[in-house]
Amino acid sequence: MIETRDLLFKALSDPTRRALFERLCESGEQSVGALTAPAGISQPAVSKHLAVLRQAGLVQDRQQGRQAYYSARPAALAPLVDWTERMARFWDARFDDLDDVLKRMDQ
Amino acid sequence: MIETRDLLFKALSDPTRRALFERLCESGEQSVGALTAPAGISQPAVSKHLAVLRQAGLVQDRQQGRQAYYSARPAALAPLVDWTERMARFWDARFDDLDDVLKRMDQ
DNA sequence: TTAATCCATAACCATCGGGATATGGATTCG
DNA sequence: CGAATCCATATCCCGATGGTTATGGATTAA
């Protein structure tokens, strides 16, 4: 789906969400409370951001008692990597074409 | 600067802007008129998107007569690649730690 | 010179998005 | 059981954003 890519870029476009994701990548699984403390925003705001990240597949959650533990799923970044590589490949291909042209001009 | 990364993610968060960037990567330098035709939005809207992409360093423009030719600068994607790699590295590092723990547990 | 073309900017509008507070269900603690 | 804690959801507010039309400067064509 192309929509996956859209969800991914949208989810990562907000610095607060990136910070949450970074924290989960760095420090592993965290409860919402643990994530809220250093975030500098309210708990409901954190919950909303986590919901967006989850919808993009970037995090997963696990219920334990009355706490929700979130963890990162960096594999979800794959479509982003694919896209950047594709863009770079287009670029390289066009330079290859240019090389071909130049080689032909040499002859 | 951290702000560079922000401009980058923000610029790429809009599908129309990504489409413009993709087109420039695929087909090379294009005038604003050429970009507007298939974009499905007005010319001023395209100009605004191009301004955002330019501020993020993703495109550059060149004036020739009354036309403005835009081209992609895929190298500007580097901070995005760096960031994703860093996230993946955190992830791997934590698994390495886990490996250490497991190895110690084996002994 | 006059008319037409190309593009950026200005002004405006509707929607989206991120923030807050209020609330309530589920769980744990006393 | 009653009180406190954890978190998600609902609601609201406001600034950001993406779209439009209007306009004008610069350049090219007639």
Side-chain angles (χ1 to χ4, degrees):
Chain A
M1 302 298 175
I2 193 93
E3 198 177 337
T4 302
R5 190 187 304 157
D6 221 56
L7 285 173
L8 202 50
F9 275 105
K10 280 270 176 37
L12 294 175
S13 68
D14 180 76
T16 301
R17 270 195 300 269
R18 280 202 307 280
L20 285 170
F21 180 70
E22 289 173 18
R23 183 173 174 82
L24 289 174
C25 283
E26 289 179 36
S27 310
E29 195 181 59
Q30 308 260 335
S31 72
V32 175
L35 289 169
T36 300
I41 54 178
S42 66
Q43 171 266 313
V46 171
S47 282
K48 264 205 286 186
H49 282 308
L50 289 172
V52 173
L53 289 171
R54 181 178 44 196
Q55 203 182 352
L58 286 164
V59 303
Q60 59 188 0
D61 68 316
R62 171 177 72 84
Q63 292 292 335
Q64 178 176 330
R66 61 186 172 187
Q67 346 224 29
Y69 288 98
Y70 283 81
S71 53
R73 294 186 58 242
L77 292 172
L80 190 150
V81 174
D82 291 345
W83 183 83
T84 58
E85 282 179 355
R86 195 156 64 88
M87 292 307 108
R89 207 170 331 133
F90 281 139
W91 186 252
D92 293 341
R94 292 197 13 265
F95 269 120
D96 290 347
D97 291 348
L98 181 59
D99 278 349
D100 288 348
V101 171
L102 293 176
K103 282 173 188 165
R104 289 193 195 106
M105 288 176 67
D106 278 347
Q107 296 173 352
Chain B
M1 300 301 173
I2 194 91
E3 198 177 339
T4 302
R5 191 187 305 160
D6 221 56
L7 286 173
L8 203 50
F9 276 104
K10 280 270 178 34
L12 294 175
S13 69
D14 181 76
T16 302
R17 270 195 298 270
R18 279 202 308 280
L20 285 171
F21 181 69
E22 288 174 17
R23 182 173 174 83
L24 289 174
C25 282
E26 290 181 34
S27 310
E29 195 180 61
Q30 307 260 336
S31 71
V32 174
L35 289 168
T36 299
I41 52 177
S42 66
Q43 171 266 312
V46 171
S47 283
K48 266 204 283 189
H49 282 306
L50 289 172
V52 174
L53 289 171
R54 182 179 42 197
Q55 201 182 353
L58 286 165
V59 304
Q60 58 187 0
D61 68 315
R62 168 178 74 83
Q63 292 291 335
Q64 178 178 330
R66 61 187 172 185
Q67 346 223 28
Y69 288 97
Y70 283 81
S71 53
R73 293 187 57 243
L77 292 171
L80 190 150
V81 174
D82 291 345
W83 183 83
T84 59
E85 282 180 355
R86 195 156 64 90
M87 292 308 107
R89 209 172 327 136
F90 281 138
W91 187 252
D92 293 340
R94 290 199 12 266
F95 268 119
D96 290 347
D97 290 348
L98 181 59
D99 277 348
D100 289 348
V101 172
L102 293 177
K103 283 173 188 165
R104 288 190 198 110
M105 288 176 66
D106 278 345
Q107 294 173 356

